[in-house]
Amino acid sequence: MSNKFQKLIEHFSKLPGIGPRQATRLVLAMLEWPVADLEEFSAMIAGIKNGPTFCKECFNFAEAEKCAICASIKRDQTRIAVVEKVTDLESMEKTGAFNGVYHVLGGAINPANGSLPEKLKIAELVGRIKKLKKLTPDVEVILATNPNTHGETTALYLEEELRPLKVKITRLARGLASGSSVEYADEITLVNALKHRR
Ligand SMILES: [Zn+2]
């Protein structure tokens, strides 16, 4: 295989869940794209780190200081759903059933792979809630971590950390099968889990 394809395949292989075989398929698929799309794609990749990348409030993707959700006056800023990843946020957004805001931790507690509480945006969450509590006593934090071991560990840890702040803490209802994930839950399950949170 030519060098230019080999290099591109290597880059794609660095992405999570992509092996060399899949990377090859991606490159072959892109050969079918119109040149204009390829140019736009490469320009976007080149500029991916220009300007703000993450919301300073919730750590969602953002093109300004705050993401579109945090900046929206239509969203209830006193209801904060704590999720592990941006993809979880996107799955919840797709349901349209949640009118609050989010806080993206950047993963779950998993000491075996070095994901310790200090590496997650937990201090930022505590700071954010303290600030919010000065404005209103009525704050709800919805722990929407994944229903697996690491997600549960994280939720328990957060409950301990947040208890002194005296906010209402709820969890997504058990509609989500244990061992599953927020990201891949189907919409109806996720809507129910939100509706019956406690
Ligand atoms: Zn935000």
PDB file of all heavy atoms in Angstrom, residues 4-17:
ATOM      1  N   LYS A   4       1.020   7.234   1.452  1.00  0.00           N
ATOM      2  CA  LYS A   4       0.036   8.251   1.863  1.00  0.00           C
ATOM      3  C   LYS A   4      -1.191   7.589   2.496  1.00  0.00           C
ATOM      4  O   LYS A   4      -1.762   8.103   3.441  1.00  0.00           O
ATOM      5  CB  LYS A   4      -0.273   9.184   0.687  1.00  0.00           C
ATOM      6  CG  LYS A   4      -1.545   8.978  -0.054  1.00  0.00           C
ATOM      7  CD  LYS A   4      -1.715  10.039  -1.139  1.00  0.00           C
ATOM      8  CE  LYS A   4      -2.618   9.514  -2.231  1.00  0.00           C
ATOM      9  NZ  LYS A   4      -2.809  10.438  -3.336  1.00  0.00           N
ATOM     10  N   PHE A   5      -1.579   6.434   1.986  1.00  0.00           N
ATOM     11  CA  PHE A   5      -2.692   5.732   2.621  1.00  0.00           C
ATOM     12  C   PHE A   5      -2.269   5.146   3.962  1.00  0.00           C
ATOM     13  O   PHE A   5      -3.009   5.197   4.930  1.00  0.00           O
ATOM     14  CB  PHE A   5      -3.211   4.625   1.704  1.00  0.00           C
ATOM     15  CG  PHE A   5      -3.909   5.153   0.492  1.00  0.00           C
ATOM     16  CD1 PHE A   5      -3.494   4.805  -0.775  1.00  0.00           C
ATOM     17  CD2 PHE A   5      -4.990   6.024   0.635  1.00  0.00           C
ATOM     18  CE1 PHE A   5      -4.145   5.306  -1.895  1.00  0.00           C
ATOM     19  CE2 PHE A   5      -5.644   6.530  -0.481  1.00  0.00           C
ATOM     20  CZ  PHE A   5      -5.211   6.172  -1.755  1.00  0.00           C
ATOM     21  N   GLN A   6      -1.076   4.584   3.986  1.00  0.00           N
ATOM     22  CA  GLN A   6      -0.594   3.959   5.212  1.00  0.00           C
ATOM     23  C   GLN A   6      -0.598   4.961   6.376  1.00  0.00           C
ATOM     24  O   GLN A   6      -1.036   4.660   7.475  1.00  0.00           O
ATOM     25  CB  GLN A   6       0.830   3.414   4.990  1.00  0.00           C
ATOM     26  CG  GLN A   6       1.249   2.374   6.016  1.00  0.00           C
ATOM     27  CD  GLN A   6       0.212   1.268   6.168  1.00  0.00           C
ATOM     28  OE1 GLN A   6      -0.256   0.687   5.179  1.00  0.00           O
ATOM     29  NE2 GLN A   6      -0.210   0.997   7.388  1.00  0.00           N
ATOM     30  N   LYS A   7      -0.145   6.167   6.099  1.00  0.00           N
ATOM     31  CA  LYS A   7      -0.060   7.215   7.130  1.00  0.00           C
ATOM     32  C   LYS A   7      -1.466   7.575   7.635  1.00  0.00           C
ATOM     33  O   LYS A   7      -1.701   7.728   8.833  1.00  0.00           O
ATOM     34  CB  LYS A   7       0.633   8.449   6.518  1.00  0.00           C
ATOM     35  CG  LYS A   7       1.141   9.438   7.513  1.00  0.00           C
ATOM     36  CD  LYS A   7       2.406   8.939   8.182  1.00  0.00           C
ATOM     37  CE  LYS A   7       2.605   9.660   9.493  1.00  0.00           C
ATOM     38  NZ  LYS A   7       3.481   8.943  10.411  1.00  0.00           N
ATOM     39  N   LEU A   8      -2.388   7.706   6.699  1.00  0.00           N
ATOM     40  CA  LEU A   8      -3.762   8.062   7.049  1.00  0.00           C
ATOM     41  C   LEU A   8      -4.404   6.953   7.881  1.00  0.00           C
ATOM     42  O   LEU A   8      -5.092   7.211   8.878  1.00  0.00           O
ATOM     43  CB  LEU A   8      -4.547   8.313   5.754  1.00  0.00           C
ATOM     44  CG  LEU A   8      -5.859   9.096   5.843  1.00  0.00           C
ATOM     45  CD1 LEU A   8      -5.691  10.384   6.628  1.00  0.00           C
ATOM     46  CD2 LEU A   8      -6.340   9.414   4.433  1.00  0.00           C
ATOM     47  N   ILE A   9      -4.133   5.720   7.492  1.00  0.00           N
ATOM     48  CA  ILE A   9      -4.669   4.573   8.236  1.00  0.00           C
ATOM     49  C   ILE A   9      -4.114   4.574   9.660  1.00  0.00           C
ATOM     50  O   ILE A   9      -4.833   4.326  10.621  1.00  0.00           O
ATOM     51  CB  ILE A   9      -4.347   3.253   7.492  1.00  0.00           C
ATOM     52  CG1 ILE A   9      -5.203   3.179   6.225  1.00  0.00           C
ATOM     53  CG2 ILE A   9      -4.580   2.037   8.364  1.00  0.00           C
ATOM     54  CD1 ILE A   9      -4.772   2.105   5.242  1.00  0.00           C
ATOM     55  N   GLU A  10      -2.836   4.898   9.780  1.00  0.00           N
ATOM     56  CA  GLU A  10      -2.237   4.975  11.117  1.00  0.00           C
ATOM     57  C   GLU A  10      -2.940   6.011  11.985  1.00  0.00           C
ATOM     58  O   GLU A  10      -3.198   5.788  13.161  1.00  0.00           O
ATOM     59  CB  GLU A  10      -0.752   5.363  11.011  1.00  0.00           C
ATOM     60  CG  GLU A  10       0.175   4.171  10.772  1.00  0.00           C
ATOM     61  CD  GLU A  10       1.593   4.640  10.459  1.00  0.00           C
ATOM     62  OE1 GLU A  10       2.034   5.635  11.084  1.00  0.00           O
ATOM     63  OE2 GLU A  10       2.222   4.029   9.586  1.00  0.00           O
ATOM     64  N   HIS A  11      -3.258   7.168  11.400  1.00  0.00           N
ATOM     65  CA  HIS A  11      -3.948   8.213  12.163  1.00  0.00           C
ATOM     66  C   HIS A  11      -5.324   7.745  12.619  1.00  0.00           C
ATOM     67  O   HIS A  11      -5.686   7.914  13.780  1.00  0.00           O
ATOM     68  CB  HIS A  11      -4.078   9.494  11.331  1.00  0.00           C
ATOM     69  CG  HIS A  11      -2.814  10.304  11.283  1.00  0.00           C
ATOM     70  ND1 HIS A  11      -2.186  10.754  12.431  1.00  0.00           N
ATOM     71  CD2 HIS A  11      -2.070  10.749  10.251  1.00  0.00           C
ATOM     72  CE1 HIS A  11      -1.102  11.438  12.093  1.00  0.00           C
ATOM     73  NE2 HIS A  11      -0.998  11.442  10.767  1.00  0.00           N
ATOM     74  N   PHE A  12      -6.076   7.151  11.704  1.00  0.00           N
ATOM     75  CA  PHE A  12      -7.409   6.677  12.081  1.00  0.00           C
ATOM     76  C   PHE A  12      -7.325   5.595  13.161  1.00  0.00           C
ATOM     77  O   PHE A  12      -8.182   5.514  14.034  1.00  0.00           O
ATOM     78  CB  PHE A  12      -8.157   6.134  10.862  1.00  0.00           C
ATOM     79  CG  PHE A  12      -8.868   7.195  10.079  1.00  0.00           C
ATOM     80  CD1 PHE A  12      -8.482   7.508   8.794  1.00  0.00           C
ATOM     81  CD2 PHE A  12      -9.931   7.888  10.646  1.00  0.00           C
ATOM     82  CE1 PHE A  12      -9.145   8.502   8.069  1.00  0.00           C
ATOM     83  CE2 PHE A  12     -10.594   8.874   9.933  1.00  0.00           C
ATOM     84  CZ  PHE A  12     -10.200   9.183   8.640  1.00  0.00           C
ATOM     85  N   SER A  13      -6.265   4.781  13.110  1.00  0.00           N
ATOM     86  CA  SER A  13      -6.128   3.691  14.083  1.00  0.00           C
ATOM     87  C   SER A  13      -5.904   4.207  15.502  1.00  0.00           C
ATOM     88  O   SER A  13      -6.068   3.463  16.457  1.00  0.00           O
ATOM     89  CB  SER A  13      -4.951   2.778  13.711  1.00  0.00           C
ATOM     90  OG  SER A  13      -5.123   2.309  12.393  1.00  0.00           O
ATOM     91  N   LYS A  14      -5.527   5.481  15.637  1.00  0.00           N
ATOM     92  CA  LYS A  14      -5.321   6.041  16.986  1.00  0.00           C
ATOM     93  C   LYS A  14      -6.643   6.329  17.682  1.00  0.00           C
ATOM     94  O   LYS A  14      -6.672   6.567  18.885  1.00  0.00           O
ATOM     95  CB  LYS A  14      -4.546   7.370  16.887  1.00  0.00           C
ATOM     96  CG  LYS A  14      -3.104   7.235  16.447  1.00  0.00           C
ATOM     97  CD  LYS A  14      -2.483   8.631  16.385  1.00  0.00           C
ATOM     98  CE  LYS A  14      -1.215   8.620  15.559  1.00  0.00           C
ATOM     99  NZ  LYS A  14      -0.878   9.980  15.093  1.00  0.00           N
ATOM    100  N   LEU A  15      -7.729   6.348  16.919  1.00  0.00           N
ATOM    101  CA  LEU A  15      -9.027   6.684  17.514  1.00  0.00           C
ATOM    102  C   LEU A  15      -9.567   5.512  18.318  1.00  0.00           C
ATOM    103  O   LEU A  15      -9.309   4.355  17.990  1.00  0.00           O
ATOM    104  CB  LEU A  15     -10.014   7.073  16.403  1.00  0.00           C
ATOM    105  CG  LEU A  15      -9.637   8.330  15.620  1.00  0.00           C
ATOM    106  CD1 LEU A  15     -10.540   8.480  14.400  1.00  0.00           C
ATOM    107  CD2 LEU A  15      -9.737   9.561  16.502  1.00  0.00           C
ATOM    108  N   PRO A  16     -10.347   5.821  19.397  1.00  0.00           N
ATOM    109  CA  PRO A  16     -10.873   4.737  20.231  1.00  0.00           C
ATOM    110  C   PRO A  16     -11.769   3.796  19.431  1.00  0.00           C
ATOM    111  O   PRO A  16     -12.618   4.254  18.664  1.00  0.00           O
ATOM    112  CB  PRO A  16     -11.669   5.479  21.325  1.00  0.00           C
ATOM    113  CG  PRO A  16     -11.802   6.884  20.876  1.00  0.00           C
ATOM    114  CD  PRO A  16     -10.728   7.147  19.874  1.00  0.00           C
ATOM    115  N   GLY A  17     -11.553   2.510  19.603  1.00  0.00           N
ATOM    116  CA  GLY A  17     -12.414   1.514  18.975  1.00  0.00           C
ATOM    117  C   GLY A  17     -12.120   1.252  17.506  1.00  0.00           C
ATOM    118  O   GLY A  17     -12.830   0.492  16.860  1.00  0.00           O
TER     119      GLY A  17
END
